[in-house]
Amino acid sequence: MGRIHRLPQSVVNKIAAGEVIERPASAVKELVENAIDAGASRIDVVIERGGVDLIRVIDNGCGIAEDDLEAAVTSHATSKIADAEDLFHVQTLGFRGEALASIAEVSRLLVRSRTADGESGYEMAVQGGVRGPIVPCSAPVGTTVEVADLFFNTPVRRRFLRSTATEAAHVAEAVAKIALAHPRIHFTLYHGDKAVYALPPVERAADRIASLYGREVSDRLIEVASEDGPIKIHGFVGHPQLSRSNTRQQFLFVNGRPIRDRSLQHALSEAYRGLLTVGRQPVAFLYLEMPTDMVDVNVHPTKQEVRFLDGGRLYGQLLSTLRTRFLTSDLNTRVPMPEVADPHEAHDREKILEMRRRVVDWAKGAAPWLATGESSLSAGASLGRPNATDAADAVDLPIKEAISAGVERTPPDFEAWSRSDESGDGAEPFSSEALDVSEVGRPLGFLDGGQVGPPRQPKAIQVHNRYLIAESDEGVVVIDQHALHERILYEQLRRRAEEGPLESQQLLVPEPVDLSPAEAAAALDAAEILSQLGMRIEPFGGSTVLVLSRPVMLGRVPPSELLHIALEPLMAKDRGPGRADLMDKILHSMACRAAVKAGDRLTEEEITALLEQSRGVLDSHHCPHGRPTALIFSREQLDKHFKRV
């Protein structure tokens, strides 16, 4: 070991650059944040070769005075804080005073700036940490920073960079995060001559999201908002249909700063438990606002990680906000609306309604063209006279509904049908046996309606011994019988487990179950939890476990199979430490195994019972593992598929 000595400032800056400037995207982030702190309303970013050859950031902020240019590229020099106390009240994105100095140490830097009261602009070049003179120049109000040949004097760092496309993608992601946090600022990003982003200022974060990620994302977002004292949470989270295989579209912002926080991401995942399948991640754009003394941003060199004064309170608020919002949201899975290939081929809606009214008149014997013998009405000549097939289809529609419902109806109720058309909603045929879709947000299942009086008996047909097809006010519902029954059983088991131990049935003859040593140890360690679920066990020598009782609700499942079902989450590598989580996973598995399976033939009584039991079940739109229990095809979607509109 040599003598202890102070490192040269150049080496210090290079070490700092290694922490702050990992790649071109890091430099872009620091420069854009400086522009925002300068009060810019427009920020233009240009990169060449992924940002390695050139990064240019232009803003119309307050600018840098001539006397401050040299200090701007000096390590730990800043205008944003003055003393240690200010670190606990940081209101700007930057404050450490090392970004420009670090960038200047590993690149060829040029800073050009002009203040509003300056007669001219001034610029200064820095080559690998060596400063040049400050000279006058022509410049608009604001600042332009050019970073050329990034890492030219640290070739090892250059070798760790990825391809041009990859580095450009990281730059785009960095700009997108900041643009989401500040929708009122105009952003542009160019890669060479190619425009990547052109984001005009908007008032609503939702509009900025739509500009960046398209209507496919923005149209499937659910708005959330809550307030707990000085802490405000607002933003958007994705419908369960909108999920990703990674967390890249989970954006968290604290006081306008993009951050990463594992605790808040865990709260987000917990809110979606049972709504997404394993391996899928929710989409979220969440904005948190709180006093600056409740968050410490001086934790990480890149300022992407923060520490909250009361992280537990924030975790609970976010989890409660999302779960409460989901209870009042329509989380049913819907089939996307097809695109109309040729709009000129689509039928005119008014013409369709006129055609249907004329068919009704014809069926009632009141059509003027029947009485006069004319082939068509002069007022509707362009529509043409309904042919026999059209009339037969119209007459047969209520009859088909009656047959599918098992009800004889003669004659068809044309008068009611006509009243429905003339009341203004001509797109819905009358059917007294039609099923109703639940009101948005009501946890009564997708087949429960808002009608007055006793509920109708829902009716459905089974296809391929795995799906149920039913009519609803909205259109047609295709139900996965296993997924729906699994959700029903899980909710019943969970509700009873919360009230106390599940009702158990003592076995006349205890059943021995042979397990591996690890499985036996896990089962006996969880004996108290299993007893809470109605399954009492005890050791029987070696790795054999004796099952003494089983839950009454799952009486059809053999005791040995029930024990193996419970062992699956007990033996999982990612098993959570919490007792509640473990019980929940066991209930998931039990409900899955006990539910009717795809391939099971159901009687009409069983189908009716299944649909009736879905009423009052929370989250009936998804099974406990996150798969949708039903798909909804709206009338509009069906009409588009069949080229009727």
Side-chain angles (χ1 to χ4, degrees):
M1 295 289 293
R3 299 288 301 273
I4 298 175
H5 62 280
R6 182 182 294 274
L7 292 173
Q9 188 61 43
S10 176
V11 177
V12 172
N13 289 344
K14 283 187 172 65
I15 293 173
E19 294 178 334
V20 179
I21 311 301
E22 301 174 358
R23 61 195 333 148
S26 307
V28 170
K29 170 186 172 294
E30 297 291 341
L31 297 177
V32 172
E33 287 181 348
N34 281 345
I36 293 174
D37 289 342
S41 61
R42 175 169 182 146
I43 302 173
D44 299 301
V45 181
V46 179
I47 61 173
E48 300 282 354
R49 208 164 71 83
V52 176
D53 286 357
L54 176 69
I55 298 171
R56 181 184 298 119
V57 177
I58 307 168
D59 71 65
N60 62 352
C62 63
I64 305 173
E66 176 188 6
D67 297 341
D68 289 339
L69 272 179
E70 186 172 349
V73 295
T74 301
S75 181
H76 303 300
T78 181
S79 62
K80 300 166 186 177
I81 60 172
D83 52 41
E85 184 63 25
D86 290 344
L87 289 174
F88 302 100
H89 303 279
V90 175
Q91 298 183 357
T92 55
L93 297 177
F95 60 89
R96 300 172 68 96
E98 51 184 3
L100 272 178
S102 299
I103 295 171
E105 195 67 40
V106 293
S107 69
R108 309 182 198 278
L109 180 74
L110 177 67
V111 181
R112 182 184 301 114
S113 190
R114 177 188 168 190
T115 59
D117 56 357
E119 295 182 359
S120 68
Y122 293 89
E123 70 178 22
M124 181 179 65
V126 185
Q127 304 280 337
V130 180
R131 301 172 197 152
I134 299 174
V135 297
C137 68
S138 175
V141 175
T143 302
T144 298
V145 179
E146 293 185 0
V147 180
D149 296 332
L150 187 62
F151 302 133
F152 79 97
N153 54 354
T154 53
V156 175
R157 295 294 304 276
R158 268 216 175 189
R159 286 200 294 269
F160 278 92
L161 296 179
R162 301 293 183 179
S163 67
T164 296
T166 299
E167 296 300 335
H170 282 290
V171 171
E173 184 178 6
V175 173
K177 285 182 180 179
I178 300 175
L180 285 169
H182 301 274
R184 292 183 176 87
I185 297 179
H186 190 151
F187 289 91
T188 66
L189 171 62
Y190 282 82
H191 189 193
D193 295 331
K194 180 182 178 182
V196 180
Y197 293 141
L199 305 171
V202 292
E203 289 296 319
R204 300 171 59 249
D207 295 329
R208 179 57 55 88
I209 293 170
S211 298
L212 284 166
Y213 300 101
R215 289 295 173 187
E216 180 205 357
V217 171
S218 64
D219 288 349
R220 295 185 180 182
L221 295 178
I222 301 170
E223 188 169 7
V224 298
S226 72
E227 189 170 341
D228 181 12
I231 302 176
K232 298 179 181 179
I233 297 177
H234 63 94
F236 304 87
V237 294
H239 188 283
Q241 276 186 274
L242 182 67
S243 65
R244 299 290 183 262
S245 60
N246 53 54
T247 60
R248 284 195 173 182
Q249 283 194 12
Q250 292 179 5
F251 298 98
L252 300 173
F253 307 98
V254 175
N255 296 340
R257 182 190 306 277
I259 68 160
R260 294 192 304 257
D261 188 89
R262 291 184 179 180
S263 176
L264 293 180
Q265 285 184 311
H266 186 269
L268 181 63
S269 298
E270 280 296 296
Y272 277 85
R273 179 187 289 194
L275 299 178
L276 297 178
T277 55
V278 176
R280 303 299 296 179
Q281 298 292 335
V283 172
F285 304 85
L286 295 171
Y287 301 81
L288 288 73
E289 298 175 7
M290 64 190 68
T292 54
D293 59 356
M294 294 188 70
V295 55
D296 183 4
V297 298
N298 188 29
V299 175
H300 193 273
T302 64
K303 308 180 291 292
Q304 293 188 36
E305 296 179 7
V306 298
R307 185 183 294 115
F308 296 106
L309 182 64
D310 192 349
R313 173 185 178 182
L314 198 59
Y315 180 100
Q317 182 182 351
L318 177 57
L319 182 59
S320 174
T321 299
L322 298 183
R323 285 185 171 172
T324 302
R325 184 68 177 91
F326 289 162
L327 288 176
T328 58
S329 300
D330 180 6
L331 301 184
N332 289 309
T333 302
R334 285 173 167 76
V335 177
M337 185 73 76
E339 296 291 336
V340 177
D342 184 358
H344 297 292
E345 294 180 1
H347 298 291
D348 183 86
R349 179 176 176 81
E350 293 301 323
K351 292 182 179 181
I352 292 174
L353 297 181
E354 177 63 23
M355 173 74 79
R356 292 178 62 183
R357 281 190 286 268
R358 293 174 63 195
V359 171
V360 171
D361 289 340
W362 173 86
K364 293 166 63 177
W369 45 267
L370 277 179
T372 60
E374 297 178 3
S375 60
S376 63
L377 291 173
S378 58
S382 61
L383 299 177
R385 173 178 174 173
N387 57 39
T389 304
D390 295 330
D393 287 344
V395 172
D396 202 29
L397 180 59
I399 298 176
K400 291 176 181 176
E401 293 173 350
I403 293 174
S404 65
V407 179
E408 293 184 4
R409 297 176 55 192
T410 54
D413 194 350
F414 284 108
E415 184 177 354
W417 185 20
S418 180
R419 284 197 303 269
S420 174
D421 269 358
E422 294 171 357
S423 66
D425 184 12
E428 180 180 359
F430 175 85
S431 171
S432 63
E433 302 298 330
L435 299 172
D436 290 327
V437 174
S438 66
E439 299 174 11
V440 173
R442 293 182 60 194
L444 298 177
F446 38 75
L447 293 174
D448 186 27
Q451 72 274 8
V452 178
R456 305 186 188 104
Q457 289 293 322
K459 295 178 177 61
I461 61 171
Q462 185 184 36
V463 296
H464 298 299
N465 291 345
R466 64 175 63 201
Y467 299 115
L468 307 178
I469 300 179
E471 180 187 358
S472 70
D473 279 349
E474 189 174 352
V476 174
V477 182
V478 181
I479 303 164
D480 184 328
Q481 64 187 35
H482 170 74
L484 179 58
H485 194 209
E486 182 182 347
R487 168 57 72 178
I488 293 170
L489 286 179
Y490 166 73
E491 293 295 340
Q492 292 173 347
L493 289 168
R494 182 183 61 82
R495 187 164 52 249
R496 295 193 184 183
E498 289 175 350
E499 296 170 353
L502 293 182
E503 184 181 358
S504 62
Q505 177 186 25
Q506 192 78 16
L507 299 181
L508 292 177
V509 179
E511 183 170 334
V513 182
D514 294 326
L515 304 171
S516 69
E519 289 174 331
L524 294 173
D525 286 344
E528 184 182 350
I529 295 177
L530 296 178
S531 178
Q532 181 79 9
L533 299 177
M535 187 186 309
R536 291 177 46 242
I537 63 171
E538 62 181 30
F540 195 58
S543 58
T544 301
V545 172
L546 204 62
V547 179
L548 306 177
S549 66
R550 65 180 176 188
V552 173
M553 288 183 63
L554 305 177
R556 294 191 304 173
V557 183
S560 60
E561 185 177 346
L562 273 177
L563 182 57
H564 281 102
I565 291 171
L567 280 171
E568 289 178 2
L570 289 173
M571 299 298 294
K573 292 182 179 180
D574 61 345
R575 165 187 163 183
R579 173 190 176 98
D581 286 346
L582 185 57
M583 286 189 64
D584 198 56
K585 291 180 179 178
I586 294 175
L587 291 177
H588 281 184
S589 299
M590 286 183 169
C592 182
R593 293 293 180 88
V596 296
K597 303 294 188 294
D600 289 349
R601 184 68 181 173
L602 303 182
T603 65
E604 290 186 11
E605 292 76 13
E606 289 172 330
I607 292 174
T608 299
L610 183 63
L611 300 183
E612 283 294 336
Q613 288 176 11
S614 70
R615 300 171 183 268
V617 172
L618 290 174
D619 298 331
S620 62
H621 37 70
H622 285 78
C623 81
H625 296 100
R627 292 192 302 108
T629 59
L631 295 177
I632 297 177
F633 295 80
S634 68
R635 289 192 309 273
E636 291 77 9
Q637 290 169 322
L638 294 172
D639 287 343
K640 280 201 171 186
H641 276 295
F642 287 104
K643 310 298 183 185
R644 297 182 63 85
V645 293

